[in-house]
Amino acid sequence: MESSQGIFAQLADTVLFDYISNSILMVIGVCLISLLIGLPLAWLVAMCKFPGKRFFSWALVLPLAMPAYIVAYIYSDFFDYAGPVQIWLRNTFGWQSPADYWFFDIRSIPGASVILALVLYPYVYLFLRSAFAQNNLVQMQASRLLGDTPWQSFWRISIPQARGIIVASLALVGMETLADFATMHYFAINTMTTAVYDTWLGYYNLPAAAKLSVLMLAMIFLLLAIEKRQRIDKQNYSRNDSFDNSEMYQLSGGKAWLATGFASLVLFAGFILPSLVLCGFIFDYYDQVWSEEFIEYGSSSLFIALIAAVLAVIVALIINFGLRQSKQTNQLKHTWIQPLPGQLASMGYALPGTVLAIGIIIPMTALEFWSNDVLVEWFDWQPGLFLTGTTFAIIFAYVVRFSAIPIGSVQESMSKISPHLDHASRSMGAGFSKTALRIHLPLLKRILLTSGLLVFIESMKELPAALLLRPFGFETLATYVYQYVSDEQLEHASLAALSIVILGLIPLLIVNRMSQDSLQKKVNSNDSANHNN
């Protein structure tokens, strides 16, 4: 086996430039297409009235629940040379071979960019819908009085105000693109994340894969820094009045149906069509999809996701209770150390699954080797791979990656709990632990259940970390589906795939509902203030 230096040097001399350039091209392509889809949809839903607006306001987030590699399989099956679309074209026009006509190659960087954009544009849509809905009412009214058309108002007011939000949302899309493994691997597009996977399991060289992960981390942290930098712009919207429904642009005639048609086309391409195909597979292959394997792997996935969700919530409680206690005792007040544990624990969410797997497997393996040496020397007992050879590694990876969800949610909720409640509890002789148990936990019950549910569902969907860290012979629903996708036999795992999609809908609907409730409260507050005035 070649050394890590030799493998890495060989990659650097041959294909490393292609890995990096393909990754950059994918990020640019997916971000551009996501912006072209999400930006106009956000403007239409937030600022205009058209047929179906109420339905599309929540339905347009549904494609985010559809795993990209499932969409990639379905569309490649449709548009490949042997697919129904090209067969129909050849039969209709009498073409005999690929030399007789040109057709878009979906198994390419542009094709993969379209596929990923169809499932990632909701990031842009959700961010910008909230931003546009909170546009400064005074500026919008002034724009109308000056005779600006909706198009002019869009370019002169909405886009400049939302510039920071656009950058932040595209940074998230870029991070998701870099982290995507399954779609890139299925389309045979060599990016940094597939390079890590191939170097690890192809060359069996973990140190070389770790070096590639460092390069990938640099790209991720650059996007993460951009996203963090733009968050300050969000404060501009929270201080403004919500845009009143009466101020929306009323679309009519062809413009109204054009808006409805565009939203329908995007929703159909990103969610409805793939869902219908999966349902068709289930109907045609029912005897095969409802199998003992599906039940076994589904049960394993549920068990692991449940443990990961409980542990992630416990981690969030420990970190946030510790932060609150430190503030009350003034031990770390006004120092950079105070929020550091929560920030470090939240960074795992930005890591791609392949990189996270390497960051876990290397120290765990070293610990196992050291423990085996010590136990053999002292007790003549060798436990073997007691961490990486079990589901512990997968659960640990899930907790590291998804703890950011409950940490942020609990932190925001605890900030709204008045410190006077703590002081009153202490004045009655209750310590911090009893106060947390009797006051904080009941007040946090709803957010704990919600964030725990989000971690549970994200753990059910996670693929790269599970694919790299699973013990021999162990499968989750995600790895089970991907194995069939890789073998061009998705129909045999269509029920498992649809189960993942349905589970993925739950957090999307929760987040969308919370976002709409927040906006509605602002609208009601403004209406009440205007009525009083």
Side-chain angles (χ1 to χ4, degrees), residues 40-53 56 144 149-151 154 245-263:
L41 287 176
W43 167 262
L44 289 171
V45 170
M47 307 297 293
C48 303
K49 293 181 180 180
F50 60 94
K53 166 190 161 66
F56 289 117
R144 285 193 171 189
T149 64
W151 181 254
F154 171 76
N245 288 336
S246 63
E247 301 293 330
M248 289 184 177
Y249 298 107
Q250 178 68 58
L251 301 183
S252 60
K255 293 181 179 179
W257 291 110
L258 183 62
T260 302
F262 176 56

Side-chain angles (χ1 to χ4, degrees), residues 103-299:
F103 194 82
F104 177 71
D105 183 12
I106 195 169
R107 294 177 182 267
S108 61
I109 291 179
S113 298
V114 172
I115 295 297
L116 284 177
L118 283 176
V119 299
L120 293 180
Y121 82 84
Y123 283 117
V124 179
Y125 166 74
L126 283 171
F127 274 73
L128 291 181
R129 186 189 67 182
S130 298
F132 290 150
Q134 299 175 34
N135 269 319
N136 191 297
L137 180 58
V138 175
Q139 294 181 11
M140 299 301 295
Q141 290 174 334
S143 175
R144 285 193 171 189
L145 291 174
L146 292 174
D148 284 348
T149 64
W151 181 254
Q152 291 172 327
S153 176
F154 171 76
W155 280 108
R156 293 178 180 178
I157 297 178
S158 297
I159 292 298
Q161 287 187 347
R163 189 163 47 223
I165 302 294
I166 292 173
V167 174
S169 63
L170 291 181
L172 290 177
V173 171
M175 284 189 284
E176 290 291 333
T177 302
L178 283 177
D180 184 272
F181 161 76
T183 307
M184 302 297 102
H185 200 262
Y186 178 68
F187 277 177
I189 299 174
N190 293 321
T191 60
M192 290 301 295
T193 187
T194 61
V196 172
Y197 180 86
D198 293 337
T199 305
W200 184 350
L201 298 184
Y203 292 103
Y204 298 102
N205 198 306
L206 186 57
K211 292 180 180 179
L212 291 173
S213 298
V214 173
L215 295 177
M216 192 173 177
L217 276 178
M219 302 172 71
I220 291 290
F221 284 143
L222 175 61
L223 292 173
L224 188 62
I226 293 173
E227 192 271 338
K228 293 283 188 183
R229 178 64 182 85
Q230 297 300 327
R231 282 190 181 184
I232 190 173
D233 294 336
K234 296 181 182 180
Q235 298 175 359
N236 296 334
Y237 301 103
S238 63
R239 293 192 299 265
N240 294 330
D241 296 330
S242 295
F243 196 81
D244 192 354
N245 288 336
S246 63
E247 301 293 330
M248 289 184 177
Y249 298 107
Q250 178 68 58
L251 301 183
S252 60
K255 293 181 179 179
W257 291 110
L258 183 62
T260 302
F262 176 56
S264 301
L265 178 62
V266 171
L267 181 61
F268 179 80
F271 183 79
I272 296 177
L273 178 60
S275 299
L276 292 176
V277 171
L278 290 178
C279 292
F281 285 158
I282 294 173
F283 180 79
D284 293 337
Y285 296 87
Y286 178 78
D287 293 337
Q288 300 179 42
V289 298
W290 185 262
S291 61
E292 293 183 0
E293 288 183 335
F294 168 71
I295 298 174
E296 176 186 353
Y297 301 148
S299 300

Side-chain angles (χ1 to χ4, degrees), residues 14-30:
T14 55
V15 294
L16 183 57
F17 177 78
D18 291 335
Y19 290 149
I20 297 175
S21 60
N22 288 345
S23 298
I24 294 174
L25 288 175
M26 282 299 308
V27 169
I28 294 174
V30 176

Side-chain angles (χ1 to χ4, degrees), residues 500-514:
I500 295 174
V501 173
I502 293 174
L503 286 171
L505 293 177
I506 299 174
L508 290 179
L509 296 177
I510 291 175
V511 172
N512 186 71
R513 180 64 180 270
M514 293 172 62

